[in-house]
Amino acid sequence: MFDQDIVEKIKELVLPFLEQQRVELVELNFRRQGSKTVLTFLVEKSGGISLDDCVFLNQEISVMLDQHPDILMESYVLEVSSPGLDRPLTTERDFVRAMGKKIRVFLKEAWEGKWEYEGEVNDVIGGKLRLKIGPDKITQIPLESIHKGRQII
């Protein structure tokens, strides 16, 4: 079975549980590290994810995977953690989660003569990031023009 097939089967199994817990799967990584297989869930929830949340999710996901040995037929290391405040913002959902926060975006192509913008996320509407870049100036940047963004901490 190919790694991407394994990832899709794990998502099918685990996503309903995460939704029930009101937890969003930000990223699922499946990689081989030396002789080990490492499965990493990066998760987020409203109000933030705590260490206790990660421990609980790790235990429950581990039980689910152990009950379906046909999905992952080898031993593995399971990690569940928060993606962190400084993770790259790349998807529309990432920018929506950053609403009201100060970010810096790096563009694939110049927009209004600039390659980089810094400001507060005002909104994400119609495929555009509305970024407050001054006391009374909002610029709209097409999401497809954004290479990545980062929250300013």
Side-chain angles (χ1 to χ4, degrees):
M1 188 178 308
F2 294 108
D3 291 354
Q4 193 56 41
D5 293 338
I6 293 170
V7 168
E8 290 307 314
K9 287 184 182 246
I10 292 170
K11 282 182 180 178
E12 285 176 24
L13 177 67
V14 176
L15 279 176
F17 166 72
L18 293 177
E19 289 171 5
Q20 185 181 46
Q21 300 301 312
R22 294 189 174 98
V23 171
E24 179 184 350
L25 178 63
V26 174
E27 193 174 331
L28 174 58
N29 291 311
F30 179 84
R31 69 185 188 284
R32 302 190 196 284
Q33 193 170 4
S35 62
K36 291 190 233 176
T37 297
V38 181
L39 186 60
T40 305
F41 285 80
L42 298 179
V43 294
E44 185 67 83
K45 74 175 186 177
S46 179
I49 197 96
S50 71
L51 181 58
D52 288 339
D53 293 329
C54 291
V55 169
F56 169 75
L57 293 170
N58 188 302
Q59 291 169 342
E60 294 299 313
I61 292 169
S62 181
V63 168
M64 293 171 76
L65 290 172
D66 290 347
Q67 290 174 346
H68 293 85
D70 55 313
I71 295 176
L72 199 53
M73 295 182 240
E74 56 197 276
S75 63
Y76 59 92
V77 175
L78 178 62
E79 300 172 346
V80 178
S81 66
S82 163
L85 291 175
D86 62 343
R87 76 176 184 271
L89 307 172
T90 55
T91 66
E92 183 171 345
R93 286 178 24 191
D94 290 338
F95 289 106
V96 168
R97 268 195 301 275
M99 200 89 69
K101 297 178 179 149
K102 195 168 185 180
I103 67 167
R104 177 176 290 130
V105 292
F106 303 91
L107 308 179
K108 297 175 189 172
E109 54 196 41
W111 179 256
E112 296 178 350
K114 293 176 70 175
W115 287 86
E116 181 180 326
Y117 283 87
E118 187 175 302
E120 182 180 310
V121 177
N122 182 270
D123 210 344
V124 181
I125 298 176
K128 292 186 179 185
L129 170 67
R130 292 175 44 89
L131 195 62
K132 185 176 180 182
I133 57 173
D136 55 349
K137 182 173 183 196
I138 293 178
T139 190
Q140 294 188 57
I141 303 168
L143 290 173
E144 70 262 6
S145 296
I146 299 173
H147 172 64
K148 69 178 175 180
R150 290 219 184 263
Q151 184 176 336
I152 297 172
I153 302 169

